[in-house]
Amino acid sequence: GAGVSQSPSNKVTEKGKDVELRCDPISGHTALYWYRQSLGQGLEFLIYFQGNSAPDKSGLPSDRFSAERTGGSVSTLTIQRTQQEDSAVYLCASSLIGGRTHGYTFGSGTRLTVV
Amino acid sequence: AQSVTQPDIHITVSEGASLELRCNYSYGATPYLFWYVQSPGQGLQLLLKYFSGDTLVQGIKGFEAEFKRSQSSFNLRKPSVHWSDAAEYFCAVDMNSGYSTLTFGKGTMLLVSP
């Protein structure tokens, strides 16, 4: 597509429920990133996919967080047993190759509210 | 640890006045440097980037930034601010080591007064 598409744009969930957030990157972009933006914390790196390589999961805050990227395209970020501190905007970005020289294109994000 | 510092949380500028947003990074080598802008409810839009060559880079919307190695800085500037520039601005670095990931500053909120 023309841009990075994220769905849903807003999600309200009850504490303890699981949620899935979806990211559809720009066609042809081999790199895909998930970031979390929360008040007072700025933007935190969560996970990075590059082609068929093993993802860099070093930013995932706990084992309740996981992500997949199927067929080198669409990615799903799953949060199990959501907690109130998981409330944040989850941003997805994609880039050509590694992004260093091409820059990253961000989606509009999914605003997650855990009540 | 690597870090990116944007010392100003909020800045208010009169419309038509010049703007400078500060960004400093902590890293031994020259990273790849980026400025992004985020309007309310929107994702981040790339304004400009630097990775080599001329240390003064031009971006979209009339913005420019200058990389100063000696100061580990990459400040964003605009000669004349428009009301539509009101947004949050993020400086980010890719440390050019291993995986390509961005480390962001905490952001500077720009308010434009009439």
PDB file of all heavy atoms in Angstrom, chain B residues 37-58:
ATOM      1  N   VAL B  37       8.405  14.511  13.051  1.00  0.00           N
ATOM      2  CA  VAL B  37       7.376  15.363  13.609  1.00  0.00           C
ATOM      3  C   VAL B  37       6.105  14.531  13.774  1.00  0.00           C
ATOM      4  O   VAL B  37       5.811  13.665  12.946  1.00  0.00           O
ATOM      5  CB  VAL B  37       7.115  16.600  12.725  1.00  0.00           C
ATOM      6  CG1 VAL B  37       6.646  16.224  11.334  1.00  0.00           C
ATOM      7  CG2 VAL B  37       6.119  17.543  13.388  1.00  0.00           C
ATOM      8  N   GLN B  38       5.398  14.787  14.869  1.00  0.00           N
ATOM      9  CA  GLN B  38       4.159  14.074  15.136  1.00  0.00           C
ATOM     10  C   GLN B  38       3.059  15.070  15.467  1.00  0.00           C
ATOM     11  O   GLN B  38       3.134  15.757  16.482  1.00  0.00           O
ATOM     12  CB  GLN B  38       4.337  13.085  16.284  1.00  0.00           C
ATOM     13  CG  GLN B  38       3.117  12.205  16.528  1.00  0.00           C
ATOM     14  CD  GLN B  38       3.335  11.214  17.662  1.00  0.00           C
ATOM     15  OE1 GLN B  38       3.994  11.520  18.651  1.00  0.00           O
ATOM     16  NE2 GLN B  38       2.796  10.013  17.531  1.00  0.00           N
ATOM     17  N   SER B  39       2.042  15.121  14.618  1.00  0.00           N
ATOM     18  CA  SER B  39       0.865  15.938  14.914  1.00  0.00           C
ATOM     19  C   SER B  39      -0.096  15.112  15.754  1.00  0.00           C
ATOM     20  O   SER B  39      -0.034  13.881  15.727  1.00  0.00           O
ATOM     21  CB  SER B  39       0.199  16.385  13.614  1.00  0.00           C
ATOM     22  OG  SER B  39       1.086  17.187  12.875  1.00  0.00           O
ATOM     23  N   PRO B  40      -0.981  15.753  16.501  1.00  0.00           N
ATOM     24  CA  PRO B  40      -1.890  15.023  17.396  1.00  0.00           C
ATOM     25  C   PRO B  40      -2.649  13.918  16.676  1.00  0.00           C
ATOM     26  O   PRO B  40      -3.245  14.133  15.613  1.00  0.00           O
ATOM     27  CB  PRO B  40      -2.829  16.122  17.892  1.00  0.00           C
ATOM     28  CG  PRO B  40      -2.021  17.368  17.819  1.00  0.00           C
ATOM     29  CD  PRO B  40      -1.145  17.213  16.613  1.00  0.00           C
ATOM     30  N   GLY B  41      -2.613  12.721  17.239  1.00  0.00           N
ATOM     31  CA  GLY B  41      -3.346  11.598  16.676  1.00  0.00           C
ATOM     32  C   GLY B  41      -2.737  11.006  15.425  1.00  0.00           C
ATOM     33  O   GLY B  41      -3.350  10.128  14.802  1.00  0.00           O
ATOM     34  N   GLN B  42      -1.566  11.474  15.078  1.00  0.00           N
ATOM     35  CA  GLN B  42      -0.919  10.991  13.856  1.00  0.00           C
ATOM     36  C   GLN B  42       0.340  10.196  14.169  1.00  0.00           C
ATOM     37  O   GLN B  42       0.866  10.246  15.284  1.00  0.00           O
ATOM     38  CB  GLN B  42      -0.546  12.177  12.954  1.00  0.00           C
ATOM     39  CG  GLN B  42      -1.715  13.039  12.542  1.00  0.00           C
ATOM     40  CD  GLN B  42      -2.726  12.285  11.722  1.00  0.00           C
ATOM     41  OE1 GLN B  42      -2.374  11.601  10.753  1.00  0.00           O
ATOM     42  NE2 GLN B  42      -3.994  12.369  12.094  1.00  0.00           N
ATOM     43  N   GLY B  43       0.817   9.496  13.161  1.00  0.00           N
ATOM     44  CA  GLY B  43       2.102   8.825  13.306  1.00  0.00           C
ATOM     45  C   GLY B  43       3.237   9.814  13.136  1.00  0.00           C
ATOM     46  O   GLY B  43       3.028  11.022  13.048  1.00  0.00           O
ATOM     47  N   LEU B  44       4.430   9.316  13.085  1.00  0.00           N
ATOM     48  CA  LEU B  44       5.612  10.164  12.947  1.00  0.00           C
ATOM     49  C   LEU B  44       5.950  10.341  11.474  1.00  0.00           C
ATOM     50  O   LEU B  44       5.972   9.377  10.709  1.00  0.00           O
ATOM     51  CB  LEU B  44       6.809   9.550  13.664  1.00  0.00           C
ATOM     52  CG  LEU B  44       6.866   9.733  15.170  1.00  0.00           C
ATOM     53  CD1 LEU B  44       5.895   8.803  15.871  1.00  0.00           C
ATOM     54  CD2 LEU B  44       8.276   9.504  15.679  1.00  0.00           C
ATOM     55  N   GLN B  45       6.249  11.574  11.109  1.00  0.00           N
ATOM     56  CA  GLN B  45       6.632  11.894   9.741  1.00  0.00           C
ATOM     57  C   GLN B  45       8.093  12.309   9.728  1.00  0.00           C
ATOM     58  O   GLN B  45       8.515  13.158  10.527  1.00  0.00           O
ATOM     59  CB  GLN B  45       5.756  13.010   9.184  1.00  0.00           C
ATOM     60  CG  GLN B  45       6.072  13.378   7.739  1.00  0.00           C
ATOM     61  CD  GLN B  45       5.239  14.529   7.229  1.00  0.00           C
ATOM     62  OE1 GLN B  45       4.699  15.328   7.989  1.00  0.00           O
ATOM     63  NE2 GLN B  45       5.109  14.623   5.929  1.00  0.00           N
ATOM     64  N   LEU B  46       8.854  11.746   8.811  1.00  0.00           N
ATOM     65  CA  LEU B  46      10.273  12.076   8.714  1.00  0.00           C
ATOM     66  C   LEU B  46      10.449  13.469   8.134  1.00  0.00           C
ATOM     67  O   LEU B  46       9.940  13.772   7.066  1.00  0.00           O
ATOM     68  CB  LEU B  46      10.980  11.047   7.831  1.00  0.00           C
ATOM     69  CG  LEU B  46      12.466  11.257   7.592  1.00  0.00           C
ATOM     70  CD1 LEU B  46      13.245  11.096   8.893  1.00  0.00           C
ATOM     71  CD2 LEU B  46      12.989  10.283   6.538  1.00  0.00           C
ATOM     72  N   LEU B  47      11.184  14.323   8.860  1.00  0.00           N
ATOM     73  CA  LEU B  47      11.492  15.667   8.371  1.00  0.00           C
ATOM     74  C   LEU B  47      12.799  15.677   7.583  1.00  0.00           C
ATOM     75  O   LEU B  47      12.882  16.301   6.519  1.00  0.00           O
ATOM     76  CB  LEU B  47      11.622  16.646   9.543  1.00  0.00           C
ATOM     77  CG  LEU B  47      10.342  17.081  10.257  1.00  0.00           C
ATOM     78  CD1 LEU B  47      10.700  17.960  11.452  1.00  0.00           C
ATOM     79  CD2 LEU B  47       9.422  17.829   9.303  1.00  0.00           C
ATOM     80  N   LEU B  48      13.811  15.042   8.145  1.00  0.00           N
ATOM     81  CA  LEU B  48      15.109  15.016   7.490  1.00  0.00           C
ATOM     82  C   LEU B  48      16.001  13.986   8.162  1.00  0.00           C
ATOM     83  O   LEU B  48      15.684  13.487   9.240  1.00  0.00           O
ATOM     84  CB  LEU B  48      15.770  16.403   7.527  1.00  0.00           C
ATOM     85  CG  LEU B  48      15.764  17.180   8.840  1.00  0.00           C
ATOM     86  CD1 LEU B  48      16.788  16.657   9.812  1.00  0.00           C
ATOM     87  CD2 LEU B  48      16.002  18.673   8.588  1.00  0.00           C
ATOM     88  N   LYS B  49      17.105  13.672   7.493  1.00  0.00           N
ATOM     89  CA  LYS B  49      18.035  12.693   8.038  1.00  0.00           C
ATOM     90  C   LYS B  49      19.462  13.051   7.615  1.00  0.00           C
ATOM     91  O   LYS B  49      19.682  13.738   6.615  1.00  0.00           O
ATOM     92  CB  LYS B  49      17.692  11.288   7.551  1.00  0.00           C
ATOM     93  CG  LYS B  49      17.712  11.094   6.044  1.00  0.00           C
ATOM     94  CD  LYS B  49      17.237   9.697   5.693  1.00  0.00           C
ATOM     95  CE  LYS B  49      17.377   9.414   4.194  1.00  0.00           C
ATOM     96  NZ  LYS B  49      16.382  10.116   3.387  1.00  0.00           N
ATOM     97  N   TYR B  50      20.395  12.577   8.411  1.00  0.00           N
ATOM     98  CA  TYR B  50      21.805  12.773   8.103  1.00  0.00           C
ATOM     99  C   TYR B  50      22.540  11.467   8.340  1.00  0.00           C
ATOM    100  O   TYR B  50      22.354  10.813   9.371  1.00  0.00           O
ATOM    101  CB  TYR B  50      22.415  13.860   8.999  1.00  0.00           C
ATOM    102  CG  TYR B  50      23.918  13.912   8.885  1.00  0.00           C
ATOM    103  CD1 TYR B  50      24.525  14.591   7.822  1.00  0.00           C
ATOM    104  CD2 TYR B  50      24.734  13.251   9.799  1.00  0.00           C
ATOM    105  CE1 TYR B  50      25.902  14.609   7.693  1.00  0.00           C
ATOM    106  CE2 TYR B  50      26.111  13.278   9.675  1.00  0.00           C
ATOM    107  CZ  TYR B  50      26.677  13.945   8.623  1.00  0.00           C
ATOM    108  OH  TYR B  50      28.045  13.962   8.496  1.00  0.00           O
ATOM    109  N   PHE B  51      23.402  11.096   7.381  1.00  0.00           N
ATOM    110  CA  PHE B  51      24.288   9.974   7.665  1.00  0.00           C
ATOM    111  C   PHE B  51      25.696  10.190   7.156  1.00  0.00           C
ATOM    112  O   PHE B  51      26.606   9.491   7.566  1.00  0.00           O
ATOM    113  CB  PHE B  51      23.712   8.653   7.141  1.00  0.00           C
ATOM    114  CG  PHE B  51      23.313   8.655   5.698  1.00  0.00           C
ATOM    115  CD1 PHE B  51      24.206   8.301   4.709  1.00  0.00           C
ATOM    116  CD2 PHE B  51      22.024   8.994   5.331  1.00  0.00           C
ATOM    117  CE1 PHE B  51      23.820   8.285   3.375  1.00  0.00           C
ATOM    118  CE2 PHE B  51      21.632   8.986   3.988  1.00  0.00           C
ATOM    119  CZ  PHE B  51      22.535   8.624   3.019  1.00  0.00           C
ATOM    120  N   SER B  52      25.898  11.141   6.281  1.00  0.00           N
ATOM    121  CA  SER B  52      27.253  11.447   5.838  1.00  0.00           C
ATOM    122  C   SER B  52      27.195  12.703   4.986  1.00  0.00           C
ATOM    123  O   SER B  52      26.118  13.185   4.630  1.00  0.00           O
ATOM    124  CB  SER B  52      27.862  10.293   5.040  1.00  0.00           C
ATOM    125  OG  SER B  52      27.180  10.126   3.809  1.00  0.00           O
ATOM    126  N   GLY B  53      28.369  13.219   4.642  1.00  0.00           N
ATOM    127  CA  GLY B  53      28.440  14.338   3.716  1.00  0.00           C
ATOM    128  C   GLY B  53      28.206  15.674   4.386  1.00  0.00           C
ATOM    129  O   GLY B  53      28.586  15.885   5.541  1.00  0.00           O
ATOM    130  N   ASP B  54      27.589  16.575   3.666  1.00  0.00           N
ATOM    131  CA  ASP B  54      27.347  17.938   4.136  1.00  0.00           C
ATOM    132  C   ASP B  54      26.635  17.909   5.485  1.00  0.00           C
ATOM    133  O   ASP B  54      25.595  17.251   5.635  1.00  0.00           O
ATOM    134  CB  ASP B  54      26.489  18.685   3.116  1.00  0.00           C
ATOM    135  CG  ASP B  54      26.442  20.183   3.373  1.00  0.00           C
ATOM    136  OD1 ASP B  54      26.829  20.607   4.479  1.00  0.00           O
ATOM    137  OD2 ASP B  54      26.026  20.917   2.466  1.00  0.00           O
ATOM    138  N   THR B  55      27.172  18.619   6.442  1.00  0.00           N
ATOM    139  CA  THR B  55      26.620  18.562   7.794  1.00  0.00           C
ATOM    140  C   THR B  55      25.356  19.392   7.953  1.00  0.00           C
ATOM    141  O   THR B  55      24.708  19.320   8.998  1.00  0.00           O
ATOM    142  CB  THR B  55      27.668  19.027   8.811  1.00  0.00           C
ATOM    143  OG1 THR B  55      28.112  20.335   8.457  1.00  0.00           O
ATOM    144  CG2 THR B  55      28.853  18.069   8.835  1.00  0.00           C
ATOM    145  N   LEU B  56      25.021  20.200   6.982  1.00  0.00           N
ATOM    146  CA  LEU B  56      23.766  20.954   7.007  1.00  0.00           C
ATOM    147  C   LEU B  56      22.814  20.258   6.035  1.00  0.00           C
ATOM    148  O   LEU B  56      23.083  20.207   4.833  1.00  0.00           O
ATOM    149  CB  LEU B  56      24.002  22.408   6.599  1.00  0.00           C
ATOM    150  CG  LEU B  56      22.767  23.321   6.656  1.00  0.00           C
ATOM    151  CD1 LEU B  56      22.265  23.458   8.083  1.00  0.00           C
ATOM    152  CD2 LEU B  56      23.100  24.695   6.080  1.00  0.00           C
ATOM    153  N   VAL B  57      21.736  19.730   6.578  1.00  0.00           N
ATOM    154  CA  VAL B  57      20.799  18.985   5.732  1.00  0.00           C
ATOM    155  C   VAL B  57      19.462  19.718   5.674  1.00  0.00           C
ATOM    156  O   VAL B  57      19.008  20.315   6.648  1.00  0.00           O
ATOM    157  CB  VAL B  57      20.589  17.544   6.243  1.00  0.00           C
ATOM    158  CG1 VAL B  57      21.855  16.747   6.078  1.00  0.00           C
ATOM    159  CG2 VAL B  57      20.125  17.516   7.690  1.00  0.00           C
ATOM    160  N   GLN B  58      18.882  19.654   4.496  1.00  0.00           N
ATOM    161  CA  GLN B  58      17.590  20.287   4.285  1.00  0.00           C
ATOM    162  C   GLN B  58      16.494  19.229   4.330  1.00  0.00           C
ATOM    163  O   GLN B  58      16.691  18.096   3.882  1.00  0.00           O
ATOM    164  CB  GLN B  58      17.561  20.977   2.914  1.00  0.00           C
ATOM    165  CG  GLN B  58      18.645  22.021   2.720  1.00  0.00           C
ATOM    166  CD  GLN B  58      18.523  23.185   3.691  1.00  0.00           C
ATOM    167  OE1 GLN B  58      17.423  23.645   3.987  1.00  0.00           O
ATOM    168  NE2 GLN B  58      19.661  23.646   4.218  1.00  0.00           N
TER     169      GLN B  58
END
